[in-house]
PDB file of all heavy atoms in Angstrom:
ATOM      1  N   LEU A  27     195.549 111.737  91.457  1.00 95.00           N
ATOM      2  CA  LEU A  27     196.455 112.465  92.346  1.00 95.00           C
ATOM      3  C   LEU A  27     197.798 112.534  91.930  1.00 95.00           C
ATOM      4  O   LEU A  27     198.382 111.394  91.699  1.00 95.00           O
ATOM      5  CB  LEU A  27     196.223 111.936  93.867  1.00 95.00           C
ATOM      6  CG  LEU A  27     194.751 111.730  94.319  1.00 95.00           C
ATOM      7  CD1 LEU A  27     194.799 111.054  95.749  1.00 95.00           C
ATOM      8  CD2 LEU A  27     194.077 113.045  94.352  1.00 95.00           C
ATOM      9  N   VAL A  28     198.440 113.727  91.860  1.00 96.00           N
ATOM     10  CA  VAL A  28     199.877 113.814  91.418  1.00 96.00           C
ATOM     11  C   VAL A  28     200.585 114.619  92.474  1.00 96.00           C
ATOM     12  O   VAL A  28     200.287 115.879  92.669  1.00 96.00           O
ATOM     13  CB  VAL A  28     200.019 114.396  90.088  1.00 96.00           C
ATOM     14  CG1 VAL A  28     201.460 114.500  89.776  1.00 96.00           C
ATOM     15  CG2 VAL A  28     199.230 113.546  89.096  1.00 96.00           C
ATOM     16  N   GLU A  29     201.484 114.098  93.215  1.00 98.00           N
ATOM     17  CA  GLU A  29     202.304 114.665  94.263  1.00 98.00           C
ATOM     18  C   GLU A  29     203.602 115.289  93.612  1.00 98.00           C
ATOM     19  O   GLU A  29     204.043 114.807  92.647  1.00 98.00           O
ATOM     20  CB  GLU A  29     202.741 113.773  95.339  1.00 98.00           C
ATOM     21  CG  GLU A  29     201.746 113.050  96.091  1.00 98.00           C
ATOM     22  CD  GLU A  29     201.391 111.647  95.489  1.00 98.00           C
ATOM     23  OE1 GLU A  29     201.604 111.491  94.308  1.00 98.00           O
ATOM     24  OE2 GLU A  29     200.851 110.799  96.252  1.00 98.00           O
ATOM     25  N   SER A  30     204.076 116.375  94.277  1.00 98.00           N
ATOM     26  CA  SER A  30     205.223 117.099  93.746  1.00 98.00           C
ATOM     27  C   SER A  30     205.810 117.804  94.924  1.00 98.00           C
ATOM     28  O   SER A  30     205.197 118.027  96.044  1.00 98.00           O
ATOM     29  CB  SER A  30     204.993 117.985  92.578  1.00 98.00           C
ATOM     30  OG  SER A  30     204.007 119.054  93.014  1.00 98.00           O
ATOM     31  N   GLY A  31     207.087 118.288  94.763  1.00 98.00           N
ATOM     32  CA  GLY A  31     207.804 119.025  95.713  1.00 98.00           C
ATOM     33  C   GLY A  31     208.776 118.286  96.696  1.00 98.00           C
ATOM     34  O   GLY A  31     209.441 118.959  97.471  1.00 98.00           O
ATOM     35  N   GLY A  32     208.751 117.034  96.617  1.00 98.00           N
ATOM     36  CA  GLY A  32     209.689 116.298  97.435  1.00 98.00           C
ATOM     37  C   GLY A  32     211.116 116.715  97.082  1.00 98.00           C
ATOM     38  O   GLY A  32     211.528 116.994  95.889  1.00 98.00           O
ATOM     39  N   ASP A  33     212.052 116.639  98.169  1.00 98.00           N
ATOM     40  CA  ASP A  33     213.416 117.110  97.982  1.00 98.00           C
ATOM     41  C   ASP A  33     214.250 116.521  99.035  1.00 98.00           C
ATOM     42  O   ASP A  33     213.716 115.903 100.019  1.00 98.00           O
ATOM     43  CB  ASP A  33     213.426 118.608  97.919  1.00 98.00           C
ATOM     44  CG  ASP A  33     214.498 119.229  97.149  1.00 98.00           C
ATOM     45  OD1 ASP A  33     215.551 118.369  96.870  1.00 98.00           O
ATOM     46  OD2 ASP A  33     214.615 120.341  96.980  1.00 98.00           O
ATOM     47  N   SER A  34     215.581 116.739  98.965  1.00 98.00           N
ATOM     48  CA  SER A  34     216.444 116.507 100.047  1.00 98.00           C
ATOM     49  C   SER A  34     216.740 117.731 100.846  1.00 98.00           C
ATOM     50  O   SER A  34     217.100 118.774 100.225  1.00 98.00           O
ATOM     51  CB  SER A  34     217.822 115.951  99.496  1.00 98.00           C
ATOM     52  OG  SER A  34     217.511 114.703  98.922  1.00 98.00           O
ATOM     53  N   VAL A  35     216.500 117.813 102.163  1.00 98.00           N
ATOM     54  CA  VAL A  35     216.777 118.931 102.913  1.00 98.00           C
ATOM     55  C   VAL A  35     217.570 118.610 104.107  1.00 98.00           C
ATOM     56  O   VAL A  35     217.628 117.331 104.601  1.00 98.00           O
ATOM     57  CB  VAL A  35     215.470 119.627 103.355  1.00 98.00           C
ATOM     58  CG1 VAL A  35     214.748 120.078 102.144  1.00 98.00           C
ATOM     59  CG2 VAL A  35     214.643 118.684 104.148  1.00 98.00           C
ATOM     60  N   GLN A  36     218.149 119.496 104.837  1.00 98.00           N
ATOM     61  CA  GLN A  36     218.864 119.311 106.120  1.00 98.00           C
ATOM     62  C   GLN A  36     217.916 119.357 107.190  1.00 98.00           C
ATOM     63  O   GLN A  36     216.814 120.055 107.154  1.00 98.00           O
ATOM     64  CB  GLN A  36     219.981 120.428 106.184  1.00 98.00           C
ATOM     65  CG  GLN A  36     221.040 120.304 105.210  1.00 98.00           C
ATOM     66  CD  GLN A  36     222.252 121.279 105.496  1.00 98.00           C
ATOM     67  OE1 GLN A  36     222.049 122.296 106.215  1.00 98.00           O
ATOM     68  NE2 GLN A  36     223.377 121.051 105.014  1.00 98.00           N
ATOM     69  N   ALA A  37     218.298 118.609 108.298  1.00 98.00           N
ATOM     70  CA  ALA A  37     217.542 118.648 109.478  1.00 98.00           C
ATOM     71  C   ALA A  37     217.357 120.137 110.003  1.00 98.00           C
ATOM     72  O   ALA A  37     218.340 120.852 109.932  1.00 98.00           O
ATOM     73  CB  ALA A  37     218.208 117.771 110.536  1.00 98.00           C
ATOM     74  N   GLY A  38     216.158 120.384 110.378  1.00 98.00           N
ATOM     75  CA  GLY A  38     215.792 121.680 110.864  1.00 98.00           C
ATOM     76  C   GLY A  38     215.209 122.571 109.848  1.00 98.00           C
ATOM     77  O   GLY A  38     214.710 123.637 110.159  1.00 98.00           O
ATOM     78  N   GLY A  39     215.317 122.079 108.562  1.00 98.00           N
ATOM     79  CA  GLY A  39     214.814 122.874 107.383  1.00 98.00           C
ATOM     80  C   GLY A  39     213.317 122.728 107.283  1.00 98.00           C
ATOM     81  O   GLY A  39     212.645 122.019 108.007  1.00 98.00           O
ATOM     82  N   SER A  40     212.730 123.358 106.184  1.00 98.00           N
ATOM     83  CA  SER A  40     211.370 123.262 105.908  1.00 98.00           C
ATOM     84  C   SER A  40     211.238 122.832 104.391  1.00 98.00           C
ATOM     85  O   SER A  40     212.135 122.990 103.573  1.00 98.00           O
ATOM     86  CB  SER A  40     210.730 124.625 106.004  1.00 98.00           C
ATOM     87  OG  SER A  40     210.794 125.083 107.371  1.00 98.00           O
ATOM     88  N   LEU A  41     210.025 122.276 104.153  1.00 98.00           N
ATOM     89  CA  LEU A  41     209.720 121.767 102.864  1.00 98.00           C
ATOM     90  C   LEU A  41     208.236 121.819 102.636  1.00 98.00           C
ATOM     91  O   LEU A  41     207.441 121.442 103.707  1.00 98.00           O
ATOM     92  CB  LEU A  41     210.239 120.462 102.584  1.00 98.00           C
ATOM     93  CG  LEU A  41     210.157 119.901 101.130  1.00 98.00           C
ATOM     94  CD1 LEU A  41     210.974 120.698 100.107  1.00 98.00           C
ATOM     95  CD2 LEU A  41     210.545 118.478 101.097  1.00 98.00           C
TER      96      LEU A  41
END
Side-chain angles (χ1 to χ4, degrees):
L27 307 177
V28 179
E29 302 93 336
S30 62
D33 204 348
S34 296
V35 297
Q36 292 188 339
S40 298
L41 187 67

